[in-house]
Structures are given as structure tokens and as C-alpha cells.
Amino acid sequence: MALFDEQSLKLYNSMGGEKEIFTPINPGHVGMYVCGPTIYSNVHLGNCRTFISFDLVFRYLKHLGYKVRYVRNITDAGHLENDADSGEDRIAKKARLEKIEPMEVVQRYTIDFHNILQKFNNLPPSIEPTATGHIVEQIEIIKEIQKKGFAYEANGSVYFDVMKYNESHHYGKLSGRSLEDMVANTRELAAQSDKKNPQDFALWKKAEPQHIMRWPSPWSDGFPGWHLECTAMSTKYLGEEFDIHGGGMDLKFPHHECEIAQGEASTGKNPVHYWMHANMLTLNGKKMAKSTGNNILPEEIFSGNNDILDKPFSPNVTRFFMLQAHYRSVLDFSNEALSASEKGFNRLMDAYHQIDKLQVGKSSSISVSDWKQSCYDAMNDDFNSPILIAKLFDAVKFINSVKEGKVEITSEDKEILHETMKNFMFDVLGLLEKTSENEESTQKQLSATIELLIKLRAEARVNKDFALSDQIRDQLQTLGIQLKDGKEGTTFSIE
């Protein structure tokens, strides 16, 4: 019997705004689509949080015994600046600024994206399609929408007719918006616009002469609309109706709303049964933004090469930090929060490595089976990773009590405890075991040695021996160890 037959999983469906018992379309099988990145720059931490959240979902569904087809796309065309229907393509703009080909931009940042997620120990999706690889499918969907009367052509571009669609469907049902309010709050159409209404969105855009990325179509040489790409790729690999569609909260409107409209207009079916949205990540209480400098890249966290953290933090600890908040909660990233996570992570790992050494007794002081089910209960409640982690720390307390001889555990319960901790820490949460004791010891010795040199350098500066101070800094730098002097003292990062 598969685990999913024993466990009742509930997930929060953004369509309707409540938790629902998860019942897949095909028993034992799950189809899940998650909107991937537009790859025109290094993947930012907020994106990583979304992909770690859905990696947790993917891992738990697999752990329960479901056969999961996880599709996560790469947007490599058609995503215009400010998520608009006009303007410059984000990838083409980057190519223009860097004087390289658009597909060089795509290649460079796709590699970065994969490298970062690999460091976070994310499992790769089952299929990772690209928008440019599915132009034919997108053209066919546009033809179908046109045939059903929900799209119109204007000067070589094709737009989705939202007003027409809303006569028989509900545009805005996912985001809870009413079309009447949207119309009332929209400025008058600019005279040069080809749209019948401001709410209409592009299915196909005719390329301006300077637009590099273009393909032939029945309407013009042009490129597909951003929303259409996900409809084409999700339905191609998961069918006209599938189980779960995920993405960041910021995609709920208009992107996901438009996907629903396109799906219903082309097939007459509700494309997605469960909508899931991960919440945002803030930095020191403020929205992350490159423009204000309130931003940090994953690689800057791992190397310590930033002005926000006082030391490097591993991908393992950073992942653990993210999973300590529920995926639907706003999570604030700060030096203090990461430091606390690192201490907790080390406590958890150390306790896990103590289980094999525990002395067994004739009886157990707690019901390990009940504790094991409480771990499942946490994950069955909309993938509640912070509650699961709290349950794992209950086990840490118990392990320490057994170690100190205060309570007992039977050999059978010891085995259940070890297996459950292993399953939830590594298979479900996706943490990597800490390095071996020898490697860990070497790391501690290296850090202690650098701290000693920092102290000697500080003494040299007090004694005005600036030659020695500079020599310590410069020689450490040649070894790839960067010292940073700040108000709170000197910190280091390893490149």
C-alpha cells in the first residue's frame, strides 16, 4: 500500500481561498506545473524561495508514493518589460546592452539558474520546456481561441477579447477581481493602441523592425504573448486539465488569470484543479529591489561577499532558513535570522548523528509512532514545513534526554526514530547531511586561524604597525580570503 493511501493531504487552493483535500485526476499520479524564470539576469533570492517551496511539494508528493510529472518552464522570449504588451523584450534588451546575441543571454543565465538550484539541492523537474521551443504549439492555440470567437487580429497582432470571454466565463475569479472594477479603474485607451479594450492582452505581437526575436505566423512575423507560453507548455505535457499549478504570489494577476482564460477559451475546460502561490521574501523588513541596493544574490550569501551579512552562510543553512517559514507567509531575510537558523540547523544535524550511539532500554518514554504521525500531520496540512521542523526539534530534545540517561528508548523505536528523521530531513525537506566530522573539524580550524590573524592584525593597527596589518590582509587575499573592515569589527569571506 502506498503512503498516500494512509495519509490525507490537504492543500490551500488559491481558487476559492481555502484548504481542500487533495484528490488527483488520475489516482496515484500527479501533474504539476510551476512558472519558471525569465532568464535575463542572475536568479534572485525571491525566485529561489518559490522554487524551493515547490521542490518541497514535489519531494513530499514523491515521498507519499505518487508518480509526479513536474513541469517547470524557461521563459526565453516574449516577456516584455514591466509585464506589458508593448515595449522591449527583457532578454533582447539585455543582449543589446551587453552586445551579445539573445540566446547567449539565455544560455548564460540558464546555467546560473541551474547551478544555484543545484547548490540548494533542488531536484530537477521532470520536464523543463522553453518558450522558444514551443512556438508552433502557441500558434495552434491562438488559432483555436480565434475560432471560438475569443480573439481578434489587429495590424498583425492578435489579442484576447476579455469582454467577450466574460460574457460566458468569469475573468478575475482567481484574483477575486471584477471586470467592471478593472474597466472603471483603467485610463482611457491611448489612440495608437490596437486593442478594443485596455483589459485585452496579447496572444501574438507583430515585431517592430528593430525587434530581434521573431518567428513567422499566419498574422505576422512576431512573437508570442508571455501568458500564452505557459498555457502551451503546461497543456502539452500535462493535458488540458491537470492537478497543480504553482508560482509566486505576484503571478496570480494577470499572468495566471490570463492562463485560465486562455485554457477555458481554447478547450472549454477548467485547466487547473489546484492553484498554489508562494509568498514573497523581504530583506531587513523591506521589499528586495536592485534599484535601492536592498538586494542580495544567492552566490553572495554563500561567499560572504556582501554588505548585509557578517559571514558566509551555506546553501544548506539558507534552504533550512527558508523552510522554517510556511510557503504562504512573507519571510524576512536578515543576518540575525540566518545566524539563528544556522545554530538550529547544527543542533538538528548533531542530534541526528547521535541516534546510532543511543543506548537502548526495555521501554520507550514517548510514543515514537505518534511522533512520526505528527510529522506527517504537519506536511499533510498544506505542506507546513515550520511545524514539521518544530516536530523534528521535539525529537532533538528526546534524543538528548536519552543520551543523558534521563529517559529510555527501545531498539524498535530507535529504528523508527532514525528512519523518520532521515526521511523528513533529507528526502522531504531536501537538506544535505553536514560534512564529515573531519571536514567539519578542518572548517572550524580554518575559521579559528583566520579569526586569530584578524586579531593579530587589529593589534598591529593599534601599535601603528601598518606594514604588518597590510601584509596580513594582502596575503589572505591572495589565498582567496577577503577581509572587510566595518563598524562592528572585521569580518571575512572566502571566494
Side-chain angles (χ1 to χ4, degrees):
M1 182 187 283
L3 267 173
F4 59 73
D5 289 322
E6 302 170 16
Q7 305 293 336
S8 179
L9 171 63
K10 279 188 172 182
L11 56 82
Y12 182 89
N13 192 350
S14 298
M15 183 75 77
E18 59 185 16
K19 292 176 190 174
E20 299 176 13
I21 292 174
F22 177 63
T23 309
I25 296 166
N26 299 308
H29 294 74
V30 178
M32 180 169 79
Y33 184 87
V34 173
C35 292
T38 301
I39 27 96
Y40 64 100
S41 64
N42 297 105
V43 63
H44 67 74
L45 206 58
N47 280 143
C48 290
R49 187 198 178 188
T50 296
F51 300 130
I52 288 170
S53 296
F54 286 103
D55 184 61
L56 175 74
V57 173
F58 183 34
R59 284 173 173 275
Y60 188 59
L61 291 170
K62 282 166 66 75
H63 175 74
L64 289 180
Y66 286 108
K67 188 173 181 183
V68 187
R69 179 177 286 177
Y70 174 20
V71 182
R72 187 188 65 215
N73 74 299
I74 294 282
T75 295
D76 57 354
H79 194 172
L80 306 187
E81 288 186 287
N82 305 314
D83 299 345
D85 276 338
S86 60
E88 196 167 7
D89 184 286
R90 292 181 176 191
I91 292 162
K93 181 180 180 182
K94 186 77 167 183
R96 177 173 58 77
L97 294 173
E98 296 195 7
K99 295 183 171 58
I100 57 176
E101 285 292 319
M103 283 303 147
E104 286 183 78
V105 173
V106 167
Q107 180 73 358
R108 178 183 299 174
Y109 294 115
T110 299
I111 290 169
D112 169 71
F113 174 64
H114 288 152
N115 285 343
I116 293 297
L117 289 196
Q118 191 172 24
K119 286 181 182 179
F120 277 126
N121 199 32
N122 273 27
L123 297 173
S126 318
I127 303 172
E128 191 174 53
T130 63
T132 55
H134 295 77
I135 301 294
V136 171
E137 289 85 349
Q138 292 171 75
I139 288 171
E140 290 306 310
I141 290 174
I142 297 171
K143 287 180 184 174
E144 195 61 33
I145 294 173
Q146 262 191 311
K147 197 166 101 181
K148 300 278 179 66
F150 295 115
Y152 58 91
E153 183 185 350
N155 295 325
S157 293
V158 183
Y159 295 96
F160 189 94
D161 193 333
V162 171
M163 301 295 268
K164 176 74 174 170
Y165 168 80
N166 206 54
E167 290 172 9
S168 51
H169 300 78
H170 179 189
Y171 182 78
K173 61 184 175 183
L174 177 65
S175 55
R177 303 181 184 216
S178 93
L179 186 56
E180 290 75 19
D181 290 343
M182 287 185 239
V183 171
N185 293 327
T186 306
R187 292 188 301 243
E188 286 298 309
L189 254 178
Q192 68 270 25
S193 176
D194 293 326
K195 295 181 186 180
K196 288 182 184 176
N197 297 288
Q199 287 71 35
D200 296 347
F201 55 89
L203 298 172
W204 187 265
K205 282 291 289 181
K206 180 181 179 180
E208 299 297 324
Q210 71 274 16
H211 200 98
I212 305 169
M213 302 176 83
R214 57 174 67 219
W215 292 265
S217 80
W219 311 284
S220 63
D221 273 11
F223 53 92
W226 171 41
H227 312 306
L228 185 66
E229 298 169 356
C230 285
T231 294
M233 291 183 276
S234 61
T235 55
K236 173 160 184 174
Y237 298 108
L238 298 174
E240 293 175 348
E241 290 183 88
F242 56 94
D243 298 302
I244 297 171
H245 192 315
M249 197 77 80
D250 56 323
L251 296 179
K252 190 185 284 189
F253 186 90
H255 186 54
H256 291 159
E257 202 73 73
C258 294
E259 278 191 66
I260 293 169
Q262 289 165 164
E264 290 184 342
S266 60
T267 69
K269 296 174 183 173
N270 173 30
V272 177
H273 285 208
Y274 302 91
W275 284 93
M276 295 179 68
H277 291 94
N279 217 322
M280 66 188 289
L281 190 65
T282 56
L283 177 57
N284 292 324
K286 296 175 186 172
K287 186 178 177 182
M288 284 196 181
K290 287 181 185 174
S291 55
T292 61
N294 196 52
N295 185 58
I296 188 168
L297 293 172
E299 207 58 72
E300 293 170 340
I301 300 167
F302 310 152
S303 68
N305 189 19
N306 62 79
D307 298 323
I308 293 162
L309 306 173
D310 60 17
K311 64 188 277 293
F313 290 94
S314 71
N316 225 1
V317 166
T318 311
R319 181 185 178 99
F320 182 64
F321 158 74
M322 296 216 201
L323 293 171
Q324 283 183 289
H326 190 262
Y327 77 89
R328 285 192 289 115
S329 305
V330 174
L331 173 61
D332 189 51
F333 183 95
S334 68
N335 187 68
E336 294 72 23
L338 268 177
S339 297
S341 285
E342 185 175 58
K343 287 174 188 162
F345 173 80
N346 289 334
R347 275 181 58 221
L348 185 61
M349 287 294 173
D350 291 344
Y352 172 74
H353 288 299
Q354 292 299 319
I355 297 175
D356 279 341
K357 302 171 190 170
L358 296 179
Q359 296 294 316
V360 297
K362 293 179 181 177
S363 63
S364 290
S365 304
I366 66 162
S367 170
V368 174
S369 293
D370 286 351
W371 167 81
K372 175 182 174 180
Q373 185 55 47
S374 74
C375 292
Y376 280 102
D377 292 343
M379 286 302 290
N380 290 338
D381 183 18
D382 193 31
F383 309 96
N384 202 322
S385 57
I387 298 295
L388 169 62
I389 290 169
K391 297 298 177 188
L392 295 175
F393 276 112
D394 287 344
V396 170
K397 288 178 196 165
F398 177 64
I399 290 163
N400 289 334
S401 295
V402 174
K403 198 171 107 180
E404 291 160 13
K406 294 177 182 174
V407 296
E408 289 190 341
I409 187 170
T410 65
S411 59
E412 185 184 346
D413 278 351
K414 178 178 165 180
E415 199 174 308
I416 294 170
L417 178 67
H418 187 273
E419 187 66 20
T420 305
M421 291 277 281
K422 178 173 172 287
N423 284 341
F424 281 101
M425 286 168 63
F426 308 127
D427 293 352
V428 175
L429 291 176
L431 303 174
L432 286 166
E433 280 201 63
K434 250 187 354 182
T435 52
S436 69
E437 288 184 19
N438 286 342
E439 287 176 330
E440 196 180 329
S441 174
T442 303
Q443 191 64 40
K444 284 180 180 174
Q445 288 169 344
L446 174 61
S447 295
T449 304
I450 296 170
E451 293 292 351
L452 175 62
L453 288 167
I454 288 172
K455 191 176 175 185
L456 291 172
R457 179 171 171 263
E459 289 173 4
R461 292 170 82 180
V462 168
N463 296 330
K464 300 194 184 313
D465 188 351
F466 297 114
L468 177 59
S469 165
D470 290 347
Q471 184 185 4
I472 292 171
R473 181 199 63 210
D474 294 344
Q475 290 197 0
L476 283 174
Q477 192 165 5
T478 62
L479 297 170
I481 299 162
Q482 187 86 30
L483 298 187
K484 290 186 290 183
D485 297 316
K487 291 179 185 175
E488 306 296 321
T490 301
T491 59
F492 70 90
S493 62
I494 301 171
E495 295 173 353

